[in-house]
Amino acid sequence: MAVRVRFAPSPTGALHIGGLRTALFNHLHAIANQGKFIIRIEDTDQSRTVPGAADNLIETLGRFGIVSHENIEFQSKRKAKYLSEVNKLVDNGGAYPCFCTPERLLSMRQTNKNSMYDKFCRSVSATEAQRRREEGEPHTIRLRVPGVEEMPVVDVFDTLRGKISFPTTSIDDQILLKSDGMPTYHLASVVDDYSMQISHVIRGEEWLPSTPKHVLLYKMFDWKIPKFTHLPLLLNPDGSKLSKRQSDVAVTDYLNKGYLPSALLNFVALLGWSPAGTDLQELLLNDDEEEHKVIFTYPELIKEFNLKNVNKSGAVVDIDRLNWINSMHIRMMLDDDDKAHEVVELVLPLLEASGIEVKKEKKESTLLFLRTVASRVHTLNDFVRLAGHFFSLDVNLESPTAKKMKDDVWHDKAWDMVQTTSRHIELIKETEWSTKAVKKALRQSCKEAGVKKQQSKLMMPIRWLLTGLPVGAGLPETIYALGKERTLHRIQREPN
């Protein structure tokens, strides 16, 4: 059977992390099985549709390389198809017109603790229903759920959970077609999945309670039922369900904060999935040599991905894990000469937006600066704070951070110690300028200053004069990247 999957978002806002995971798992499953991935926009609820949201969803997915293999479908353009199919259901007894007014339905809900429809319009004869429809009386079309005598349960087969039985007494006579002639999700998704020949429906666990209604529709239409996979819920670190109403779950929020698309895909892939034969939590706690089992490029994900390795337990969205994964992807790109300049192109606008003049620096120098601090960054935005000082002759020692650092590290003998280092730096020939030579100069300085066993008494004042930051790359690497001229200019400038 040819694998055909779909990602079917509603254009009601931005793409969120949960939606990205659903799209990713569908895309991976299709590619890994030489199948087709299709995007379908479920815009039947016009009252909730946000102008431009569909284009934004498609554009955002494109930034991750997730694109539809066929024309993108819009459900709002298929209204006639849904009406035709639902009328077939009415004709064969699988659905019925409901003429209940909003007022009656409200009264029913207020007097009945059970929010399910009371099946009042099931008693309307087919002849009367047809007459009232022809006269234009407002109505909806509802699913006729079989009685318990006819069908005690509806069995749903989920690839992660196996068979799940839902009592028909718990299944509502769901509205399939609204009074405005637009279909609900339940009708439209089933009709479209069938007509698009979708073989696997891969979606979030929140849709599992709706699946028995969909199975009933497939049976009533006498259509082949696709394979269902319901992905585990996404959770906050405290175990509560991740909600779209919470900040920072929109994918563009993460991209704007400096997370790489490749890292986000890697992170999202691990929300409920792990490679075959591995325990994700064990890997994350393991030594560095196991990193390659957690860090994946997209081609590697395609090679490794299998729906069988998706876990049905809730997946925690751990920002610390995302930070680590992102830092590893940044380092991998900077270590790859073919991809390193991509990082430069991403960081340059961030530096310029913060007021840092970067045009005077050669791209080779910029790459050196970024590589120097790479081990300290978690996001692209961190480069602004940690590498910004490389791009000017002087460094800002009046910032709150720099002032606090001075109070913490400067001491009575600091200036004389620093000048000892200055003399050793000056002795390094331009042709011998290297990290190794700088390390030697620093060792000699510590020895002469009498702080061989308390090197921080010299190193931290130098770091303050050079960067104004208490953290950053190793001091020898920082001095090498700054260059001899800039280093001497900064450490020979006596502070106020």
Side-chain angles (χ1 to χ4, degrees):
M1 177 179 64
V3 170
R4 289 175 61 84
V5 298
R6 49 57 164 192
F7 175 59
S10 298
T12 56
L15 180 68
H16 290 257
I17 283 294
L20 178 60
R21 182 187 64 167
T22 300
L24 173 64
F25 281 24
N26 275 281
H27 196 253
L28 286 172
H29 185 64
I31 301 297
N33 292 280
Q34 297 80 48
K36 297 291 185 181
F37 168 83
I38 304 160
I39 295 175
R40 184 175 74 217
I41 303 299
E42 301 199 333
D43 57 345
T44 56
D45 191 344
Q46 295 292 295
S47 65
R48 297 180 63 237
T49 296
V50 175
D55 290 338
N56 179 265
L57 286 164
I58 295 166
E59 179 185 355
T60 303
L61 287 172
R63 294 176 69 176
F64 294 90
I66 299 176
V67 296
S68 185
H69 295 152
E70 296 179 2
N71 291 335
I72 295 173
E73 299 281 355
F74 287 79
Q75 287 186 333
S76 59
K77 298 179 180 179
R78 294 166 54 82
K79 185 176 176 180
K81 174 68 174 176
Y82 306 128
L83 179 60
S84 171
E85 295 297 342
V86 83
N87 281 332
K88 292 177 184 177
L89 278 186
V90 173
D91 291 342
N92 68 22
Y96 62 95
C98 174
F99 300 95
C100 291
T101 63
E103 292 76 19
R104 184 190 178 278
L105 293 174
L106 178 61
S107 175
M108 180 200 73
R109 294 189 190 99
Q110 289 174 340
T111 57
N112 186 358
K113 292 182 181 180
N114 187 341
S115 61
M116 292 172 60
Y117 179 58
D118 61 4
K119 302 177 172 53
F120 179 78
C121 285
R122 279 198 182 198
S123 61
V124 178
S125 69
T127 302
E128 181 185 350
Q130 181 63 25
R131 176 184 59 77
R132 293 168 71 173
R133 290 181 74 186
E134 290 175 353
E135 291 175 354
E137 184 174 346
H139 65 281
T140 61
I141 302 294
R142 288 183 180 272
L143 172 69
R144 188 188 296 272
V145 178
V148 66
E149 302 83 5
E150 180 184 352
M151 186 184 294
V153 298
V154 176
D155 291 329
V156 171
F157 292 89
D158 182 90
T159 61
L160 303 183
R161 299 165 179 80
K163 184 175 80 170
I164 308 171
S165 297
F166 294 83
T168 49
T169 53
S170 68
I171 304 173
D172 197 7
D173 278 14
Q174 184 72 47
I175 292 177
L176 302 177
L177 197 75
K178 294 178 283 188
S179 58
D180 62 1
M182 293 298 285
T184 61
Y185 168 81
H186 306 284
L187 174 67
S189 65
V190 169
V191 170
D192 286 344
D193 284 346
Y194 174 74
S195 62
M196 294 167 65
Q197 299 179 301
I198 298 302
S199 62
H200 296 72
V201 174
I202 304 168
R203 58 191 178 187
E205 184 180 334
E206 62 271 18
W207 290 110
L208 186 57
S210 297
T211 308
K213 300 171 187 176
H214 303 166
V215 169
L216 278 175
L217 283 171
Y218 278 105
K219 289 178 178 292
M220 290 171 177
F221 280 123
D222 196 23
W223 292 342
K224 183 178 180 179
I225 301 172
K227 292 184 178 180
F228 290 105
T229 301
H230 291 89
L231 306 176
L233 292 175
L234 297 185
L235 307 175
N236 293 305
D238 64 2
S240 61
K241 181 182 175 183
L242 193 71
S243 168
K244 288 184 180 181
R245 293 181 178 85
Q246 292 168 290
S247 61
D248 276 0
V249 292
V251 170
T252 49
D253 287 343
Y254 289 103
L255 294 175
N256 292 337
K257 288 189 173 185
Y259 293 99
L260 292 169
S262 62
L264 268 175
L265 285 183
N266 189 161
F267 171 69
V268 168
L270 297 174
L271 293 176
W273 170 85
S274 59
T278 64
D279 182 282
L280 180 58
Q281 295 303 322
E282 192 175 303
L283 287 178
L284 289 169
L285 294 172
N286 221 322
D287 295 332
D288 287 348
E289 62 263 21
E290 297 292 347
E291 285 174 3
H292 66 282
K293 292 185 179 179
V294 177
I295 303 301
F296 296 95
T297 63
Y298 200 61
E300 289 169 340
L301 282 174
I302 292 171
K303 183 179 178 181
E304 292 281 351
F305 187 80
N306 192 314
L307 279 178
K308 293 179 181 178
N309 298 322
V310 175
N311 195 319
K312 61 185 178 183
S313 301
V316 175
V317 178
D318 185 342
I319 300 303
D320 288 338
R321 182 190 299 173
L322 172 58
N323 286 335
W324 178 76
I325 289 174
N326 198 57
S327 70
M328 297 303 297
H329 276 261
I330 289 173
R331 288 186 225 176
M332 284 196 307
M333 289 184 72
L334 286 173
D335 289 342
D336 185 333
D337 290 336
D338 293 330
K339 294 184 177 180
H341 289 286
E342 292 180 29
V343 180
V344 173
E345 294 302 322
L346 290 170
V347 173
L348 286 179
L350 301 176
L351 293 167
E352 291 171 346
S354 69
I356 297 172
E357 179 64 51
V358 298
K359 293 180 181 178
K360 295 179 181 179
E361 294 292 344
K362 296 179 180 179
K363 286 193 175 180
E364 289 73 16
S365 298
T366 301
L367 181 55
L368 172 61
F369 299 158
L370 301 189
R371 281 174 167 167
T372 298
V373 300
S375 63
R376 293 287 184 171
V377 304
H378 290 111
T379 72
L380 295 176
N381 293 3
D382 289 340
F383 282 113
V384 175
R385 177 174 57 89
L386 295 173
H389 67 85
F390 284 108
F391 294 88
S392 61
L393 182 62
D394 293 305
V395 66
N396 179 16
L397 297 180
E398 297 301 318
S399 69
T401 299
K403 286 182 177 180
K404 184 180 184 306
M405 184 181 179
K406 181 185 179 183
D407 292 340
D408 292 340
V409 306
W410 199 258
H411 53 87
D412 293 342
K413 297 181 180 180
W415 179 248
D416 290 337
M417 289 183 179
V418 171
Q419 294 318 296
T420 298
T421 303
S422 175
R423 289 192 294 274
H424 283 289
I425 295 287
E426 282 186 300
L427 292 175
I428 303 175
K429 297 177 182 179
E430 292 291 343
T431 55
E432 296 176 354
W433 186 254
S434 64
T435 303
K436 183 179 179 180
V438 171
K439 286 182 178 178
K440 182 179 179 181
L442 290 174
R443 283 197 301 270
Q444 291 171 330
S445 300
C446 287
K447 184 177 180 179
E448 286 187 24
V451 292
K452 196 171 181 181
K453 293 184 179 181
Q454 293 180 299
Q455 295 185 8
S456 62
K457 287 185 174 293
L458 172 59
M459 300 299 188
M460 291 307 290
I462 293 175
R463 181 179 290 280
W464 174 69
L465 287 169
L466 290 177
T467 70
L469 298 170
V471 296
L475 193 57
E477 291 77 13
T478 298
I479 291 173
Y480 170 72
L482 278 170
K484 184 175 180 179
E485 179 184 351
R486 237 182 300 215
T487 297
L488 291 174
H489 173 80
R490 294 184 185 184
I491 65 176
Q492 290 175 351
R493 180 185 60 174
E494 188 169 3
N496 297 325

